Amino acid sequence: DADVTQTPRNRITKTGKRIMLECSQTKGHDRMYWYRQDPGLGLRLIYYSFDVKDINKGEISDGYSVSRQAQAKFSLSLESAIPNQTALYFCATSAPGPNSPLHFGNGTRLTVT
Amino acid sequence: KNEVEQSPQNLTAQEGEFITINCSYSVGISALHWLQQHPGGGIVSLFMLSSGKKKHGRLIATINIQEKHSSLHITASHPRDSAVYICAVSPRGEGGSEKLVFGKGTKLTVNP
């Protein structure tokens, strides 16, 4: 079983719909992250959480919200999806410290029509 | 602003060739990461290094802190090495993984 699991793997939705992407992990890490990847661009951080009560905005948080339901679960929501949110979304976890590697999920490919 | 530049953007090689992917960055760092993104989308961490060289199988990563440059080498390349390789840096003194700055990636295709 994967250490970091994202659901769904693929999703097509319409403009204006609310959508939730889910992430769960068995790494036991306190730190969890949501990134988006667009063609020709590097990974960009949407939100991150250091523990259940510590949630922070990343570089591109507008239009997104998150919920840290438990140490192992971190969900990303698009309250009203728009076409330019079409992207590949990744959840990741890490241990504390500046040099801890990220452990990624397999990604969710989201298309907003 | 810290920038991470990778070259080349795209690379096509024949099986067996020696591959080099380059990464340059503009500020002091505490660590540099090399990641591999498979065609199916999943991303795995290959190396994290702050000095010198690391080797894992046919993959070798080197870093020159003074020149702010790192290279990822693949010896005896194989079609299964086809992937996007991503460089990311942790700026010195700026917290943890939430501060990582990512390059845009190098797409490697190895033909049989």
Side-chain angles (χ1 to χ4, degrees):
Chain A
D1 286 342
D3 294 323
V4 183
T5 302
Q6 290 182 234
T7 55
R9 289 297 311 277
N10 292 279
R11 181 73 182 266
I12 301 173
T13 193
K14 295 189 175 182
T15 297
K17 293 291 188 182
R18 184 179 189 274
I19 183 168
M20 179 182 287
L21 309 183
E22 299 189 350
C23 177
S24 62
Q25 53 116 346
T26 58
K27 300 288 293 182
H29 290 157
D30 287 327
R31 299 186 171 202
M32 298 186 74
Y33 311 82
W34 275 105
Y35 291 93
R36 80 175 261 176
Q37 185 181 44
D38 298 275
L41 298 178
L43 288 159
R44 292 184 291 166
L45 184 62
I46 305 172
Y47 270 96
Y48 62 100
S49 170
F50 286 168
D51 66 38
V52 174
K53 296 182 180 179
D54 185 358
I55 293 176
N56 304 278
K57 293 182 177 181
E59 178 187 355
I60 53 163
S61 59
D62 287 349
Y64 301 94
S65 63
V66 290
S67 172
R68 185 81 183 265
Q69 300 95 324
Q71 187 211 35
K73 295 184 183 295
F74 192 35
S75 301
L76 176 71
S77 293
L78 287 67
E79 298 300 327
S80 180
I82 56 176
N84 77 0
Q85 291 177 314
T86 293
L88 188 54
Y89 290 85
F90 286 98
C91 175
T93 74
S94 77
N99 299 334
S100 298
L102 287 167
H103 300 265
F104 287 88
N106 284 326
T108 294
R109 188 169 296 279
L110 176 66
T111 303
V112 183
T113 63
Chain B
K1 179 185 175 185
N2 186 30
E3 304 240 339
V4 177
E5 299 288 338
Q6 290 186 234
S7 63
Q9 285 186 296
N10 293 281
L11 181 57
T12 300
Q14 290 300 122
E15 183 173 357
E17 288 185 359
F18 181 82
I19 305 291
T20 296
I21 299 171
N22 297 298
C23 176
S24 298
Y25 51 93
S26 56
V27 299
I29 66 170
S30 59
L32 183 143
H33 303 251
W34 280 104
L35 311 171
Q36 180 190 53
Q37 184 171 17
H38 297 286
I43 300 174
V44 296
S45 180
L46 296 175
F47 296 103
M48 183 187 65
L49 63 165
S50 56
S51 65
K53 178 167 61 174
K54 287 191 175 180
K55 184 176 189 290
H56 185 257
R58 294 180 294 105
L59 301 177
I60 304 166
T62 64
I63 189 168
N64 184 319
I65 295 294
Q66 287 72 32
E67 295 188 1
K68 296 186 170 61
H69 181 269
S70 175
S71 294
L72 177 67
H73 305 287
I74 305 175
T75 61
S77 60
H78 189 276
R80 64 175 175 266
D81 297 324
S82 297
V84 175
Y85 293 84
I86 300 169
C87 173
V89 301
S90 302
R92 191 186 306 133
E94 290 193 26
S97 297
E98 76 280 6
K99 298 297 185 183
L100 277 174
V101 181
F102 294 86
K104 296 178 181 179
T106 294
K107 184 177 181 180
L108 171 65
T109 302
V110 182
N111 293 318

